[in-house]
Amino acid sequence: MNYPNELKYSKSHEWLKYDDGVAVIGISDFAQDALGDVVFIELPQVGDTVTAGERFGDVESVKAVSELISPVSGVICEVNDGLEATPEELNSDPYGAWIIKVEQVTEEEELLEAAAYEAFCAEEG
Amino acid sequence: MSELFRTPLYDAHVTLGATMVDFGGWEMPIQYPLGIVGEHLATRKKCGIFDVSHMGRLVVTGRQRLEFVQKVLSNNAAALMPGRAQYSIIPNESGGAVDDAYVYRWAEESLFVIVNASNREKDLAHFAPYLQEFDCTLTDLTFTTASIALQGPDSEEVLKRLTGADFICDGRKNALNILEAEGRRLGLSRTGYTGEPVGFELFVEATEAVWLWQRLQALGAVPIGLGARDTLRLEAGLPLYGHEMGLDPYGVDIPVFAVPLSRFGVNFAEEKGDFVGREALLAQKEEGADRRLVAIRLTDRGVIRAGMEVYRGQERLGYITSGTMVPYFAFEGDTPTDNTGKRSIGFALVRDARVGDTLEVDVRGRRLKAEVVTRHLIQNQPPYARAVL
């Protein structure tokens, strides 16, 4: 299980980093492993607002639907539309396959550093 | 939490890194590290092995074994020839199903019945009063035997290499045989739950299960979990008790004849005689069930799942009994390529729908378009099963 140090993590298993003030968001290795093969993703649109702690989309595996929870509040400026055709990238490359980028970030959820997140996952799993 | 049963292959699954889950009271592998999608595709392209030892294996012996089976199961066991098996329903008196089952005639002195793992105890309790009426004995062999399904285009070749035999069994579905492999007795049937044109179910003593599993793996068969077992059977159009049969989400019996395949499992011949539920089932057959199971594919983007409501405009027609996203191979002529796709397919229990109809499925508040189709899979062009897209 991989927990890159430069990222922050939410308790709902999303990761976050900032590129020039823009929040880049995806799901963690723990999340993709727990989901199994991701077969579908419901993505939001550029221009949509997101709220910290609230759902911004869904990922689906063969057996279940899982909500994507935004770690920040802001406005979506970019969406990784390619994931619609190849959602399995979330399994093979969870930290490369970002899902949304958010600008005008006003609020952040309580986020964990890599080590703390790894410990949190150890307790959950 | 009460303890779960384990098959003789439990340790083998854990060693392979399987994710284990509670299935009908058994601790079973839902998937291995390859994953549900990879396991589904491996079965369709090569061959897979499935631990199905959790299923109930029952044997009926004694003078009136046939009379008992004729009474509590819906197919005509008198017409079952030696060396053959038949699909059957265990009906209740009102035209619903207690379980579905397969009956095998291996030997002259016994009839072998396989039932769903989750219903084994319920079935035994259901049988008990009827057993009193006949001079026969029912023995539960579930814990002293094991079963592995071997399914896919390479499966016959794998069996030939395992047994050294040139001939595995008669080419028709439902044929049985008993072979020897490395000094061990191997029962086999040309049956399965995947829709694969070539496939077998293998039966051994519990003590031989690990040996058989390891040998099949060494010969190239890929371990497949219950997750892919479900996506494969769904694609193949095969009912799952608890979804397409049994009680609906409102606690009402799904009529046996709502499921098109039931007609192969129910027989009203005079030779068979009276059986549990005969009157109700005959009425269903003659009048037609008020709702029917149809194959449905989502044409909008999304995934349909069991429980979702199905509409035609404002009219609620029924609900999805089983649904998910399944992978498939693109074909070039008669052979699968390496290119794959995914599609959301399933079954709906609906009134008044026909092949070609466009319906809508309520997917978490949104109405997505779906089409009623004849079938999801072509299964009669061996060696490969192929998706009907």
Side-chain angles (χ1 to χ4, degrees), chain B residues 9 13 16 18-20 28-54 147-152 193-194 196 213 217 220-233:
Chain B
L9 296 175
H13 301 318
L16 284 170
T19 304
M20 306 299 284
M28 295 299 289
I30 190 96
Q31 64 173 36
Y32 300 87
L34 180 57
I36 296 177
V37 169
E39 290 168 29
H40 182 116
L41 292 170
T43 306
R44 294 262 181 259
K45 201 174 217 189
K46 299 183 294 177
C47 70
I49 40 175
F50 306 67
D51 179 7
V52 288
S53 304
H54 59 317
S147 182
I148 294 171
L150 172 66
Q151 304 278 310
Y193 195 50
T194 60
E196 281 297 313
W213 182 261
Q217 253 196 283
V222 177
I224 313 292
L226 293 179
R229 183 169 164 80
D230 188 44
T231 54
L232 289 161
R233 71 94 194 166

Side-chain angles (χ1 to χ4, degrees), chain A residues 33 36-43 58 60-65 83-88, chain B residues 30-31 34-38 226-227 230-231 301-303 305 323-325 342 363-364 366:
Chain A
D33 185 67
D37 294 317
V38 178
V39 292
F40 184 79
I41 185 165
E42 188 67 60
L43 291 166
D58 294 314
E60 300 199 39
S61 64
V62 171
K63 306 299 285 179
V65 184
L83 289 176
E84 278 195 2
T86 50
E88 58 271 16
Chain B
I30 190 96
Q31 64 173 36
L34 180 57
I36 296 177
V37 169
L226 293 179
D230 188 44
T231 54
R301 239 193 119 248
V303 185
R305 298 191 185 267
T324 186
M325 189 75 96
K342 284 186 288 290
V363 179
R364 295 188 298 285
R366 286 165 53 213

Side-chain angles (χ1 to χ4, degrees), chain A residues 73-119:
Chain A
S73 299
V75 180
I76 298 179
C77 56
E78 238 185 296
V79 172
N80 189 351
D81 289 312
L83 289 176
E84 278 195 2
T86 50
E88 58 271 16
E89 278 178 56
L90 291 172
N91 295 116
S92 56
D93 187 17
Y95 299 113
W98 58 272
I99 302 175
I100 56 170
K101 293 184 182 175
V102 179
E103 62 185 8
Q104 301 168 44
V105 174
T106 54
E107 200 193 341
E108 245 185 38
E109 269 194 305
E110 188 207 319
L111 297 173
L112 303 168
E113 300 284 345
Y117 176 62
E118 185 172 355

Side-chain angles (χ1 to χ4, degrees), chain B residues 114-130:
Chain B
I114 296 191
V115 298
N116 284 298
S118 54
N119 293 328
R120 183 180 54 87
E121 285 169 20
K122 179 180 74 160
D123 295 344
L124 290 171
H126 171 79
F127 288 152
Y130 298 103

Side-chain angles (χ1 to χ4, degrees), chain A residues 49-70:
Chain A
T49 52
V50 289
T51 307
E54 287 183 17
R55 174 191 170 275
F56 70 87
D58 294 314
V59 281
E60 300 199 39
S61 64
V62 171
K63 306 299 285 179
V65 184
S66 200
E67 289 186 332
L68 295 163
I69 308 293
S70 180

Side-chain angles (χ1 to χ4, degrees), chain B residues 93-150:
Chain B
E93 291 288 6
S94 13
V98 175
D99 203 358
D100 66 345
Y102 239 85
V103 181
Y104 302 69
R105 194 168 162 192
W106 299 102
E108 274 316 302
E109 332 76 54
S110 59
L111 283 164
F112 191 73
V113 182
I114 296 191
V115 298
N116 284 298
S118 54
N119 293 328
R120 183 180 54 87
E121 285 169 20
K122 179 180 74 160
D123 295 344
L124 290 171
H126 171 79
F127 288 152
Y130 298 103
L131 267 175
Q132 309 293 333
E133 300 169 26
F134 300 96
D135 179 15
C136 68
T137 308
L138 177 70
T139 310
D140 186 349
L141 300 178
T142 306
F143 297 93
T144 53
T145 59
S147 182
I148 294 171
L150 172 66

Side-chain angles (χ1 to χ4, degrees), chain B residues 223-367:
Chain B
I224 313 292
L226 293 179
R229 183 169 164 80
D230 188 44
T231 54
L232 289 161
R233 71 94 194 166
L234 181 64
E235 202 182 17
L238 299 167
L240 174 62
Y241 190 88
H243 287 246
E244 285 72 40
M245 308 184 106
L247 299 180
D248 71 11
Y250 306 97
V252 176
D253 265 324
I254 297 172
V256 165
F257 278 102
V259 181
L261 281 176
S262 293
R263 69 191 188 281
F264 298 114
V266 184
N267 196 306
F268 300 100
E270 220 177 283
E271 173 190 46
K272 176 175 167 63
D274 188 33
F275 60 96
V276 176
R278 185 182 199 277
E279 208 179 300
L281 290 172
L282 192 55
Q284 262 178 48
K285 187 180 175 210
E286 289 175 346
E287 294 155 30
D290 58 352
R291 36 194 185 146
R292 258 194 341 122
L293 199 72
V294 296
I296 191 166
R297 74 180 185 98
L298 194 62
T299 51
D300 278 338
R301 239 193 119 248
V303 185
I304 58 173
R305 298 191 185 267
M308 290 178 173
E309 307 273 288
V310 177
Y311 294 86
R312 177 187 281 126
Q314 296 304 337
E315 203 192 344
R316 182 192 172 275
L317 295 183
Y319 68 97
I320 303 289
T321 56
S322 297
T324 186
M325 189 75 96
V326 301
Y328 61 86
F329 281 107
F331 270 66
E332 208 164 79
D334 288 332
T335 1
T337 64
D338 286 329
N339 296 327
T340 63
K342 284 186 288 290
R343 57 194 179 134
S344 183
I345 57 171
F347 293 99
L349 189 62
V350 286
R351 49 187 182 76
D352 188 40
R354 264 156 303 185
V355 172
D357 282 0
T358 300
L359 304 178
E360 288 169 331
V361 183
D362 185 323
V363 179
R364 295 188 298 285
R366 286 165 53 213
R367 298 284 176 93

